[in-house]
């Protein structure tokens, strides 16, 4: 049973709503005005607010604003006597989880309430999971003391306070998403949403639903007042790039002569490619490139920061030990030397995975050279029968993926970790600047 605050100035309407809520197993609490509603919130915990769009002392948007000011995260459903698209857009952008029209049939009320409570439950669970992961991982930071990582820190510190679009250019596994998150957390937008969309991992229809929304709010709407990260932005289809730009510029209708503001979103992106070349080739809309590429941040490879490997190994040992609930017993000097002198095509991410596997093999003892060698073979340790030629390796990987999926290109592309467009280009023999990075990422 949930406690639901009902704000409606009409006693008869409030009584009907209360009966309907009681009939579906909830406990209603009543208020006739926003002031009374806020007083009720201070007296007892509430799981959901059902508020009339127009109250004697405020409207729904003012209530949402007051709740934000108080740091109250109780979900709100706005009820309208005469619903409108304008009211729905402004309410959702103001923070409401739903916008419904009165009178509500009991089944419609049951669905709306259940949906709002479930959304809030998922949100809270995600926040708890995020906090737990951050606690296990330690503070959000770039690990290392090399010149390359110091230069990256300096760039982030200078760019973070601005509203400039930023593109992080580099190989997968170099920490591009971490750098984007640090940029967000170092800006005035910290505390607001940071939303990431993996453009390479989704089909065009899935990507459109994820980015712009369908039955629910998309990533763009959820990132309002925060930061939207487009991972592998070069994989975003041109038609969807245009719709994204239109959604960013769209100004919702405003009543009473007021000017409604468009979405407030800082755009950042990652890529392995030259976006200017993508524009010239017709694969990127020029205006999106202008918005994103105000600042380009090159991400250093692990080869450029070899001096950081010992610090990274210690960092990963501590983080994964906390994650798996084991005591970090350190690492043998010869094992550390092996990790520091080996090349890492998958960059820092591959090193982190190898350290985690080594830790699990060590079973609570000090990580030995043998455990590291099992987790990270030498560079020339190819499986029997594998070709060394990269083109042949790629051809075999694509052939196997298509065989597994029965020739279904979209599923094969997802299996390989690339987009369907990239797979089509590879099959047609079109050169791909980031082919090696994509195969490594898979």
């Amino acid at each position: 049973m949930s406690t639901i605050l009902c704000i409606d100035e009409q006693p008869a309407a409030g009584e009907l709503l209360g009966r309907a809520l009681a009939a579906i197993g909830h406990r209603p609490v009543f208020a006739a005005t926003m002031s009374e509603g806020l007083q009720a919130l201070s007296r007892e915990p509430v799981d959901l607010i059902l508020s009339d769009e127009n109250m004697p002392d405020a409207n729904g948007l003012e209530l949402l604003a007051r709740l934000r000011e108080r740091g109250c995260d109780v979900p709100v459903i706005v009820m309208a006597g005469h619903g409108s698209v304008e009211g729905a857009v402004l309410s959702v952008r103001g923070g409401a989880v739903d916008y419904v029209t009165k009178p509500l049939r009991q089944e419609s009320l049951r669905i709306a309430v259940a949906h709002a409570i479930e959304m809030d439950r998922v949100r809270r669970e995600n926040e708890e999971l995020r906090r737990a992961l951050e606690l296990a991982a330690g503070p959000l930071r770039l690990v290392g003391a090399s010149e390359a990582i110091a230069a990256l820190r300096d760039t982030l510190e200078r760019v973070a306070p601005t509203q400039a679009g930023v593109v992080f250019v580099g190989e997968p596994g170099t920490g591009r998403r971490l750098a984007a998150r640090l940029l967000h957390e170092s800006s005035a937008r910290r505390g607001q949403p940071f939303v990431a969309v993996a453009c390479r991992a989704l089909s065009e229809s899935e990507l459109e639903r994820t980015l712009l929304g369908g039955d629910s709010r998309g990533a763009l709407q959820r990132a309002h007042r925060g930061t939207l990260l487009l991972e592998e932005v070069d994989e975003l289809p041109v038609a969807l790039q245009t719709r994204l730009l239109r959604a960013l510029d769209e100004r919702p209708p405003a009543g009473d002569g007021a000017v409604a503001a468009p979405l407030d979103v800082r755009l950042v992106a990652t890529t392995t490619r030259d976006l200017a070349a993508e524009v010239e080739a017709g694969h990127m809309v020029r205006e999106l490139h202008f918005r994103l590429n105000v600042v380009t941040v090159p991400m250093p490879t692990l080869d450029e920061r070899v001096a950081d490997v010992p610090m990274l190994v210690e960092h990963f040992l501590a983080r994964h030990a906390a994650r798996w609930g084991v005591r970090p017993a350190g690492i043998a000097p010869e094992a550390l030397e092996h990790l520091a002198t080996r090349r890492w095509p998958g960059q820092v991410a591959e090193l982190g995975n190898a350290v985690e596997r080594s830790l699990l093999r060590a079973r609570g003892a000090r990580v030995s050279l043998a455990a590291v060698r099992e987790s990270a073979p030498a560079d020339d340790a190819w499986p029997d029968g594998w070709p060394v030629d990269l083109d042949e390796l790629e051809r075999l990987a694509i052939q196997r993926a298509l065989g597994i999926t029965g020739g279904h290109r979209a599923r094969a592309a997802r299996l390989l970790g690339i987009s369907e467009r990239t797979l089509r280009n590879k099959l047609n023999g079109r050169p791909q600047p980031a082919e090696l990075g994509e195969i490594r990422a898979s």
Side-chain angles (χ1 to χ4, degrees):
M1 181 178 72
S2 298
T3 300
I4 300 177
L5 173 61
C6 307
I7 306 178
D8 196 311
E9 68 170 319
Q10 299 179 1
E15 185 179 350
L16 287 174
L17 184 60
R19 287 179 183 173
L21 289 170
I24 56 177
H26 300 296
R27 172 178 170 262
V29 176
F30 300 100
T33 65
M34 181 181 75
S35 297
E36 291 181 13
L38 294 175
Q39 290 172 10
L41 283 173
S42 65
R43 288 194 300 268
E44 63 177 312
V46 167
D47 300 300
L48 175 66
I49 299 173
L50 282 167
S51 173
D52 198 4
E53 185 176 34
N54 294 302
M55 295 164 280
D57 56 346
N59 59 36
L61 293 177
E62 290 170 316
L63 171 64
L64 292 166
R66 289 290 298 275
L67 292 173
R68 281 199 309 273
E69 291 171 2
R70 293 169 59 141
C72 178
D73 59 0
V74 176
V76 178
I77 296 176
V78 175
M79 304 179 294
H82 302 283
S84 66
V85 173
E86 172 192 351
V89 169
L90 293 177
S91 294
V92 171
R93 285 189 177 173
V97 297
D98 207 350
Y99 180 90
V100 298
T101 304
K102 298 191 298 183
L104 278 172
R105 295 178 181 272
Q106 185 161 313
E107 181 60 15
S108 300
L109 177 65
R110 185 191 65 77
I111 292 172
V113 167
H115 181 250
I117 292 173
E118 176 64 14
M119 283 179 64
D120 188 61
R121 182 190 66 79
V122 171
R123 178 187 64 80
R124 291 177 186 277
E125 287 182 354
N126 287 341
E127 287 181 354
E128 289 173 4
L129 177 60
R130 176 182 58 79
R131 285 194 292 269
L133 290 174
E134 287 177 353
L135 182 62
L140 197 66
R141 61 192 178 97
L142 290 167
V143 176
S146 63
E147 290 185 8
I149 212 69
L152 177 58
R153 284 196 193 98
D154 181 65
T155 300
L156 292 177
E157 287 175 7
R158 287 186 289 106
V159 175
T162 74
Q163 298 302 313
V166 179
V167 176
F168 296 91
V169 182
E171 291 292 321
T174 51
R176 298 173 301 172
R177 176 182 253 199
L178 172 61
R181 184 63 187 265
L182 282 167
L183 180 82
H184 171 78
E185 295 296 338
S186 302
S187 74
R189 294 174 181 264
R190 60 183 172 274
Q192 298 298 330
F194 175 86
V195 183
V197 175
C199 300
R200 176 178 289 169
L202 303 171
S203 67
E204 183 168 352
S205 59
E206 291 171 332
L207 189 52
E208 181 169 10
R209 286 196 301 272
T210 299
L211 186 58
L212 301 180
D215 297 331
S216 60
R217 292 197 300 166
L220 181 61
Q221 288 76 26
R222 297 199 309 275
H224 183 47
R225 298 190 185 90
T227 302
L228 176 64
L229 170 63
L230 300 172
E231 296 182 287
E232 311 303 348
V233 67
D234 47 272
E235 298 288 353
L236 195 62
V238 171
L240 191 48
Q241 293 177 35
T242 302
R243 291 196 286 276
L244 170 63
L245 287 167
R246 190 182 305 126
L248 282 166
D249 290 334
E250 191 176 61
R251 190 175 292 274
D256 302 325
V259 178
L263 284 169
D264 174 16
V265 175
R266 184 179 192 177
L267 280 184
V268 298
T270 69
T271 186
T272 58
R273 299 180 179 171
D274 180 349
L275 294 186
E278 292 291 298
V279 171
E280 294 305 316
H283 301 142
M284 172 162 276
V285 176
R286 193 174 299 275
E287 185 183 346
L288 181 59
H289 181 236
F290 287 157
R291 287 202 183 198
L292 280 171
N293 206 32
V294 178
V295 178
T296 299
V297 178
M299 296 297 297
T301 64
L302 203 48
D303 286 343
E304 298 174 274
R305 45 180 303 211
V306 175
D308 291 333
V309 170
M311 291 180 66
L312 286 165
V313 170
E314 293 296 332
H315 167 75
F316 286 129
L317 280 174
R319 188 175 80 176
H320 294 312
R323 178 184 175 192
W324 291 106
V326 299
R327 179 180 298 176
I331 183 168
E334 60 272 21
L336 183 59
E337 182 181 1
H338 179 87
L339 293 172
T341 55
R342 183 194 185 280
R343 293 195 69 252
W344 299 97
Q347 306 301 325
V348 177
E350 185 183 1
L351 172 63
N353 290 338
V355 171
E356 182 177 16
R357 290 194 297 271
S358 301
L359 180 70
L360 293 176
R361 283 189 170 93
R363 300 176 183 272
R366 188 168 73 155
V367 175
S368 66
L369 177 60
V372 166
R373 279 180 170 164
E374 289 178 12
S375 304
D379 292 338
D380 57 356
W382 291 89
D384 293 341
W386 274 42
V388 177
D389 181 76
L390 285 175
D391 291 336
E392 180 65 10
L393 275 172
E394 180 180 284
R395 187 188 69 77
L396 289 174
I398 292 174
Q399 185 181 64
R400 180 164 177 77
L402 288 169
I404 291 171
T405 61
H408 193 289
R409 290 190 179 186
R411 292 204 298 270
R414 285 198 292 272
L415 188 63
L416 290 165
I418 60 178
S419 71
E420 188 177 357
R421 187 185 80 180
T422 298
L423 176 60
R424 184 170 60 251
N425 290 336
K426 288 179 183 295
L427 291 172
N428 293 336
R430 177 184 153 208
Q432 297 290 313
E435 286 179 348
L436 181 57
E438 290 169 342
I439 292 298
R440 286 173 181 166
S442 66

